[in-house]
Amino acid sequence: MPATTKTYPPPSYNIAIIGSGLGGLSAAIALRRAGHHITIYERYDFGGEVGASLSLASNGSRFLQEWQVDIPSAKPVVLRNLIMHDWSSGEVSARYPLGDYRERFGTDYNNFHRIDLHKHLKEVATAEAGQGPPAQLKVWHKAVRLDPCEGRITFDNGAEAVHDVIVCADGIRSQMREQLGIAPQVTPSTSCCYRCIISTAKLRELGLQEFADNSAIEFWGGKGIDKVVMSPCSNHEVVSCYCFYPAAKNSIKEDGWNISSTGENLAATFPDLDERLRLLFRNAEDIKMWRLYNHEPYPYWVSGRCCLLGDAAHPMMPDQSQGACMALEDAGALGILFSAKYAHLSIPEKLQLYDSRRARTDITERIGWSSANDRPGRLTIEEVCGYDMHSHIAELVKSFTSPPARSTSNGA
């Protein structure tokens, strides 16, 4: 009888994720879809996500589609335009239509309220329905010690756990980074930021309904540090603003992005700004101040069976609205590398390739305001929104696993 070749199912790994923020939940979904058993460890009770809006360009939104996430359930606003305003008069000075965005890049340009998306990703990660085993969420499990070689986690409640792989997604103030031997080099930036939200009902009372209806990211300023970025989210029920200003304007020293302030303080920070925005600021809700810092790139993201993800791996300034996208890209990379397609790779090989898929950190142009035609040599909307991670990883795997070329010279 002819010999037969046995085939075996790809391995199913026991994977831990430390942190249940957007990056951690995205990784849980991506790795669940790849057939692995996921345990998410959260230091507090679930539900601590805070913030205003976040935009997911196609390089982030396409992973939600790949993971069969019901995007409308997270109540996004599909962005149709990017609009630039004169700082003082508020007149529109430039408009970038996104009418063919989905045709060009395969997804909508979605704008979410952070809390809406966070809640929905948790439901998708842990639901019985859907491809792959449901992720298990364990709250009140604060990781305090990590053995990267053994894959062992020790928690402050005395519990321990051992996993095949550990994904450290514990945010910009990650305590797991130090467990991997990484000491962040951090310096204060020249910028601070206010963030606030306002309901569409309140905007209607103020005669500012258009800001909720525009389906756009709208900009004031941006030539220097002063910049305001506004966008609707949560099915047009809420409008969100991020307001950047020079750190020298105040003496804020407190770390964090959740320092409460008032509408009067916010409006006073921008005395010559479009009066419509100053009116909005005085009536806004959930006004927070946010001290911004520069983090030098870390020398590596992987040690033993552990890897960093999202803000724990590559904290970035918020000017390009790419922080959430990059966390989803990290999760997407892990999901691809741990999929059946690359089952022949060992865990160390997968993680080595993940570490080589470095995220873009030198974004020098606002996404959407430059293209290959009008700004040669600059990072463009085509490069960012059209990035094909599957092809990129396939190229990396091919070069990683290909034997060295044989010499054809005499005597070889």
Side-chain angles (χ1 to χ4, degrees):
M1 295 179 62
T4 59
T5 301
K6 291 185 178 181
T7 59
Y8 299 93
S12 178
Y13 295 117
N14 183 6
I15 300 177
I17 297 173
I18 299 175
S20 66
L22 295 174
L25 293 174
S26 296
I29 295 168
L31 292 164
R32 170 189 177 173
R33 294 292 186 249
H36 305 291
H37 295 273
I38 312 301
T39 305
I40 307 166
Y41 296 103
E42 169 55 41
R43 71 181 72 182
Y44 304 120
D45 193 4
F46 186 85
E49 191 70 20
V50 296
S53 68
L54 63 87
S55 60
L56 288 186
S58 60
N59 56 314
S61 288
R62 71 168 50 95
F63 287 107
L64 297 182
Q65 290 188 171
E66 287 187 19
W67 302 332
Q68 299 101 48
V69 173
D70 179 17
I71 294 175
S73 292
K75 303 194 291 187
V77 169
V78 176
L79 298 171
R80 305 298 184 189
N81 290 282
L82 306 181
I83 301 172
M84 182 71 77
H85 295 266
D86 178 79
W87 180 260
S88 298
S89 71
E91 293 181 2
V92 174
S93 57
R95 184 183 296 268
Y96 189 99
L98 299 173
D100 62 347
Y101 189 92
R102 186 177 185 88
E103 180 180 343
R104 292 168 69 191
F105 303 120
T107 76
D108 292 319
Y109 195 155
N110 293 299
N111 204 59
F112 298 93
H113 194 297
R114 181 179 291 269
I115 295 172
D116 292 337
L117 183 59
H118 185 239
K119 178 182 177 181
H120 186 54
L121 291 180
K122 181 255 187 180
E123 293 169 354
V124 174
T126 60
E128 290 293 331
Q131 180 182 340
Q136 303 300 307
L137 175 62
K138 294 190 176 183
V139 298
W140 303 113
H141 275 66
K142 180 180 179 180
V144 293
R145 198 158 53 252
L146 199 60
D147 185 325
C149 294
E150 291 188 6
R152 183 182 301 276
I153 313 169
T154 304
F155 302 95
D156 67 346
N157 60 11
E160 286 193 342
V162 177
H163 292 268
D164 298 318
V165 180
I166 299 172
V167 180
C168 303
D170 54 335
I172 195 168
R173 295 169 190 80
S174 169
Q175 297 181 7
M176 296 300 100
R177 268 194 306 248
E178 295 181 7
Q179 297 290 313
L180 302 189
I182 298 172
Q185 301 298 312
V186 182
T187 56
S189 79
T190 57
S191 295
C192 282
C193 182
Y194 283 98
R195 59 177 172 83
C196 66
I197 60 173
I198 188 168
S199 69
T200 298
K202 175 61 73 173
L203 286 174
R204 190 178 298 114
E205 292 176 11
L206 298 172
L208 302 176
Q209 174 77 29
E210 64 182 283
F211 291 140
D213 295 340
N214 277 345
S215 297
I217 297 181
E218 305 193 47
F219 301 87
W220 286 255
K223 301 295 184 182
I225 292 176
D226 285 321
K227 180 176 67 175
V228 175
V229 184
M230 171 192 289
S231 55
C233 56
S234 200
N235 283 345
H236 290 277
E237 296 169 5
V238 174
V239 165
S240 164
C241 293
Y242 291 92
C243 313
F244 299 87
Y245 63 97
K249 281 190 174 183
N250 60 34
S251 58
I252 179 173
K253 301 295 183 184
E254 185 180 348
D255 193 12
W257 83 311
N258 209 27
I259 306 164
S260 295
S261 188
T262 67
E264 292 299 329
N265 287 342
L266 174 51
T269 304
F270 304 99
D272 55 348
L273 179 62
D274 180 353
E275 282 299 326
R276 296 176 302 167
L277 285 189
R278 286 165 49 80
L279 175 62
L280 184 156
F281 293 162
R282 287 192 292 269
N283 289 273
E285 308 152 22
D286 194 26
I287 301 167
K288 306 293 185 182
M289 300 175 72
W290 180 11
R291 186 70 175 93
L292 302 176
Y293 292 86
N294 295 312
H295 288 241
E296 293 299 316
Y298 305 143
Y300 54 88
W301 297 355
V302 169
S303 177
R305 296 177 173 271
C306 302
C307 67
L308 302 175
L309 179 145
D311 282 345
H314 46 74
M316 62 187 300
M317 296 289 279
D319 301 87
Q320 311 303 329
S321 299
Q322 278 285 303
C325 282
M326 290 176 70
L328 265 70
E329 284 188 316
D330 290 348
L334 288 173
I336 294 168
L337 287 164
F338 280 83
S339 68
K341 180 177 181 179
Y342 298 112
H344 61 286
L345 298 174
S346 67
I347 288 175
E349 288 172 332
K350 294 175 191 291
L351 293 181
Q352 184 177 344
L353 285 160
Y354 169 75
D355 197 34
S356 70
R357 194 213 64 78
R358 294 305 181 105
R360 304 173 188 272
T361 56
D362 185 23
I363 298 179
T364 56
E365 292 292 314
R366 282 176 292 281
I367 304 308
W369 294 99
S370 61
S371 70
N373 296 325
D374 60 25
R375 298 302 293 273
R378 297 298 185 98
L379 189 63
T380 68
I381 188 173
E382 291 87 2
E383 289 178 280
V384 174
C385 297
Y387 173 53
D388 185 346
M389 185 181 291
H390 286 273
S391 296
H392 187 184
I393 287 178
E395 292 171 6
L396 290 174
V397 171
K398 183 178 179 180
S399 62
F400 183 76
T401 58
S402 296
R406 296 180 60 187
S407 172
T408 57
S409 60
N410 292 335

